[in-house]
Amino acid sequence: METPKYKTALIVGAGEGLSASLARLFAREGIRVALAARKIEKLGALCSDTGARAFACDATEPEAVERLFGLVEREIATPDLVVYNASARARGAFVELVPADVANAIAVGAFGGFLVAQQAAKRMLPNKRGAILFTGASASVKGYPQSAPFAMGKFALRGLAQSMAREFSPQGIHIAHFVIDGGIRSAARTEAPDRPDSMLDPDAIALSYWNVLQQPRGAWTWELELRPWVEKF
């Protein structure tokens, strides 16, 4: 079976961690990379490392997302691989949550995913090929105490991915959702000395994304759960 080949990737919600690992992996595979975030100043080093282009965008604003895709098309190419990696949290006791903060968490976690996926799908449908990937979390399937807004956004994002997979897979577009069930290791966040490998390695997560992208369409995954080997679930 033919292995899918992607030429241009757009990562929305880019930053250090998983997004950076994905950008480096895609660049190594010869894929042109575009990065989108509200604040792109933090992406300078990553752009230098990967040859990526950075674009400022608020993923919760329909006009901004449409403009983002137009800019990427004009300055690089139409993306045939899109990753939605944005999220927002509002923590606290349920009765003390600020409605505006909850609305923002849901907008970033889910509505932005819809906006980005809609623009991506419109461009992929004529060619009947492409991939749209969504980054979920433990909260995609488990609502934790004092974390209702995050769970609301992630549950909605998972529903979006599942619905899209059923609609677009038969049309040649690979839709996949990733449940990242555990903390992701970073320079600022590492395991306790007595718990080695208790956090997810972002490079290892990126490799799992890549493995899904390489699946022949005769055996596509729509959802993959990833966790450290010592994580309870």
Side-chain angles (χ1 to χ4, degrees):
M1 297 182 186
E2 183 180 356
T3 301
K5 292 180 174 60
Y6 301 97
K7 296 180 179 179
T8 306
L10 170 60
I11 303 172
V12 179
E16 288 303 319
L18 175 56
S19 292
S21 292
L22 287 168
R24 294 187 184 102
L25 187 153
F26 294 159
R28 287 196 302 270
E29 294 294 334
I31 299 172
R32 294 165 294 193
V33 179
L35 306 171
R38 287 189 180 186
K39 298 180 180 180
I40 61 174
E41 297 80 7
K42 60 185 179 182
L43 301 176
L46 183 58
C47 288
S48 297
D49 290 345
T50 62
R53 294 282 305 277
F55 299 85
C57 178
D58 182 343
T60 67
E61 296 293 337
E63 296 81 6
V65 173
E66 185 174 7
R67 184 166 57 250
L68 166 67
F69 275 81
L71 286 170
V72 173
E73 284 180 314
R74 287 194 295 273
E75 299 187 19
I76 304 177
T78 301
D80 54 2
L81 167 55
V82 174
V83 181
Y84 190 74
N85 201 37
S87 64
R89 295 175 183 261
R91 297 181 183 273
F94 184 79
V95 296
E96 297 174 0
L97 289 170
V98 178
D101 294 341
V102 176
N104 179 68
I106 297 171
V108 175
F111 184 58
F114 159 75
L115 294 175
V116 169
Q118 187 180 58
Q119 291 296 324
K122 286 179 179 179
R123 289 159 171 83
M124 295 176 185
L125 277 172
N127 297 320
K128 296 188 179 299
R129 65 175 303 275
I132 304 172
L133 310 182
F134 299 93
T135 299
S138 305
S140 300
V141 293
K142 296 180 286 188
Y144 290 95
Q146 299 198 350
S147 189
F150 191 54
M152 292 162 74
K154 288 299 184 184
F155 264 69
L157 188 72
R158 183 174 187 258
L160 169 68
Q162 188 177 84
S163 178
M164 287 187 65
R166 290 189 165 120
E167 179 176 353
F168 291 106
S169 290
Q171 301 183 71
I173 301 172
H174 194 172
I175 310 294
H177 176 257
F178 295 81
V179 178
I180 310 302
D181 190 12
I184 299 177
R185 185 188 305 134
S186 68
R189 190 183 183 197
T190 58
E191 301 100 335
D194 61 340
R195 296 194 70 214
D197 292 333
S198 61
M199 301 186 77
L200 289 129
D201 180 343
D203 289 341
I205 300 173
L207 182 59
S208 290
Y209 278 53
W210 183 250
N211 290 339
V212 168
L213 287 168
Q214 297 308 296
Q215 293 174 337
R217 64 184 182 181
W220 271 354
T221 293
W222 92 266
E223 183 169 71
L224 187 70
E225 286 189 311
L226 300 169
R227 61 180 62 85
W229 67 290
V230 295
E231 182 82 10
K232 295 180 179 179
F233 63 98

